[in-house]
Amino acid sequence: MTNRRDVIHATFWGLGVAAVLLVAIFIGSNSLKHYDAALVPYTGACVFSAFGIGYRFAMWLRRPPTRKYWFRGWQIFFRPSKLARNVVRLAQVFFSDFVEQRFIEKRSPARWAAHWLIAWGCILAAAVTFPLSFGWVHFESAPNNQEIYRGFVFGQHVSTFHLGTITAALTFNILDISAVMVLMGVALALFRRARDRGAISVQQFAQDMMPLLMLFAISITGLFLTASTHLLHGLNYGFLSLLHAVTVIFTLLYLPFGKFFHVFQRPAQIGVQFYKEEGARTEQAMCLRCGAPFASRMHVEDLKNVENSLGIHYQLPGGGHYQDVCPACRRKSLAMAQDEKWREQGTRAAASQPAGGIWPNHQ
């Protein structure tokens, strides 16, 4: 149960993250010199979202099991004797899980393709939209030539390109490219969810369908803006820009509270990978019942500590701990206990019944 101390702690972190973002906007936009005042609603939604993400992330880490895995993982990672090897391993995990997203491919190639297109479409859009909205990146025409554009990052001149070049086309249409990637991913995801019986049986509108619909709305309204500008001579551009803004702001407000929060949880779980690999290399726990190895000793001891911190005590009457029993033996013990209870129940019922017992005689 969430207590007051947890709420205060998480609120502090949420306010801290929001304050850092505001300071970064002020400094990165050169004291708001390059900040577009028309983007204030976007900024307000971003600041609220930053608070929500900081709050929920801090609350997530307040859970004893999560906190144990989190700190244990980074404790293992930063050990001086293995830091160099862990850095190399971190790069491998980053490329496999983040760039290639192979952890999704194990489930199905279609699911991986949908996730990869949505993820990289959103990353590409975020990498462009947020720096532009916050004034960290801006473009200016060259003083003496309107055909030349100059790009600035945090007020520093970093690039120059001519209009009509491939660089200019990619720069000015990168959000359209990301929107097409997201739409392709959303179409694949909806197709799978409409045909996969397993997905149909467990999917929920709030957790599975609504995020896809929000991504679709943002992407399609963004493409409508481009179509209005280049194909329809600005027809209904004002209405379309307002509609696009509503979809973006609604999604930003939803970001910390729905399925999109996994975007921030997933990188934090990299430490679990180091925890598992360290556990596989160290002493294994032997089952008290069958004597077979079933988990790392480190994992079993951490589970005991977490249970103790939660007031859960699973010490066995004859010595030892319930966590020292392997999962297979726990299931067998449960089945045997149930069987014993059934036999006791049957014996008591038979004693109170006439000859023939409680079970029907089918012979």
Side-chain angles (χ1 to χ4, degrees):
M1 179 181 292
T2 302
N3 58 42
R4 186 177 179 183
R5 188 176 178 184
D6 292 336
V7 173
I8 294 173
H9 177 89
T11 302
F12 171 80
W13 278 103
L15 291 173
V17 173
V20 168
L21 178 59
L22 285 172
V23 171
I25 293 173
F26 183 79
I27 296 175
S29 61
N30 194 10
S31 302
L32 304 181
K33 180 180 177 182
H34 303 299
Y35 180 77
D36 187 352
L39 300 176
V40 167
Y42 287 105
T43 305
C46 289
V47 173
F48 176 83
S49 184
F51 167 79
I53 291 168
Y55 179 93
R56 189 171 174 191
F57 203 94
M59 194 64 84
W60 180 57
L61 286 181
R62 296 290 287 182
R63 300 174 182 173
T66 306
R67 187 165 62 245
K68 174 63 74 174
Y69 270 122
W70 166 270
F71 286 109
R72 270 289 203 185
W74 291 116
Q75 183 185 24
I76 292 169
F77 179 82
F78 283 110
R79 282 187 305 183
S81 62
K82 298 183 178 178
L83 182 58
R85 188 181 69 179
N86 288 339
V87 170
V88 174
R89 179 62 182 148
L90 179 63
Q92 293 174 340
V93 172
F94 177 82
F95 188 80
S96 173
D97 287 3
F98 181 74
V99 178
E100 297 185 316
Q101 305 194 2
R102 294 296 181 188
F103 64 97
I104 296 291
E105 191 179 20
K106 297 174 184 175
R107 302 174 188 176
S108 80
R111 193 169 183 174
W112 168 79
H115 194 276
W116 191 92
L117 286 167
I118 292 174
W120 275 104
C122 291
I123 292 171
L124 192 60
V128 174
T129 302
F130 290 121
L132 283 174
S133 301
F134 298 156
W136 297 342
V137 174
H138 73 279
F139 297 93
E140 294 179 358
S141 300
N144 301 321
N145 191 339
Q146 297 298 306
E147 296 295 317
I148 297 177
Y149 259 58
R150 300 188 303 168
F152 294 82
V153 177
F154 296 114
Q156 302 299 315
H157 180 210
V158 296
S159 66
T160 301
F161 56 88
H162 286 73
L163 295 180
T165 62
I166 294 177
T167 302
L170 290 175
T171 302
F172 295 141
N173 292 287
I174 194 166
L175 288 177
D176 294 327
I177 296 171
S178 65
V180 171
M181 292 175 64
V182 172
L183 287 175
M184 292 171 61
V186 168
L188 280 173
L190 290 175
F191 180 77
R192 187 185 72 84
R193 291 195 171 279
R195 294 177 59 85
D196 189 321
R197 293 182 178 179
I200 293 173
S201 63
V202 298
Q203 67 186 0
Q204 300 175 346
F205 179 79
Q207 286 295 316
D208 301 307
M209 300 304 291
M210 192 165 77
L212 293 174
L213 295 178
M214 285 193 290
L215 293 175
F216 174 82
I218 291 176
S219 302
I220 200 67
T221 54
L223 290 178
F224 282 167
L225 290 174
T226 301
S228 174
T229 301
H230 297 290
L231 303 176
L232 302 175
H233 307 288
L235 180 65
N236 292 327
Y237 189 88
F239 169 75
L240 291 173
S241 62
L242 181 61
L243 183 62
H244 182 65
V246 169
T247 61
V248 172
I249 290 172
F250 183 79
T251 303
L252 287 171
L253 298 179
Y254 171 81
L255 191 62
F257 307 108
K259 191 172 184 177
F260 292 143
F261 186 68
H262 81 279
V263 174
F264 305 95
Q265 278 182 312
R266 182 70 190 176
Q269 292 170 343
I270 290 178
V272 175
Q273 183 75 18
F274 289 93
Y275 186 92
K276 291 180 178 177
E277 293 177 0
E278 178 69 12
R281 288 193 294 265
T282 55
E283 179 189 356
Q284 299 300 294
M286 302 298 180
C287 176
L288 284 178
R289 188 172 181 273
C290 67
F294 65 97
S296 70
R297 172 55 57 191
M298 176 179 66
H299 188 194
V300 172
E301 295 302 322
D302 285 343
L303 281 176
K304 294 177 184 176
N305 292 332
V306 169
E307 288 176 353
N308 286 334
S309 67
L310 293 172
I312 301 173
H313 304 291
Y314 280 152
Q315 281 77 13
L316 298 176
H321 195 281
Y322 187 64
Q323 293 298 345
D324 291 321
V325 180
C326 73
C329 286
R330 292 179 200 173
R331 290 192 290 271
K332 292 176 183 175
S333 298
L334 179 61
M336 293 174 65
Q338 290 178 332
D339 179 70
E340 185 178 353
K341 290 296 181 185
W342 273 106
R343 291 178 183 278
E344 290 177 1
Q345 183 71 18
T347 302
R348 286 196 295 269
S352 62
Q353 292 291 327
I358 61 173
W359 307 109
N361 186 358
H362 298 290
Q363 296 180 349

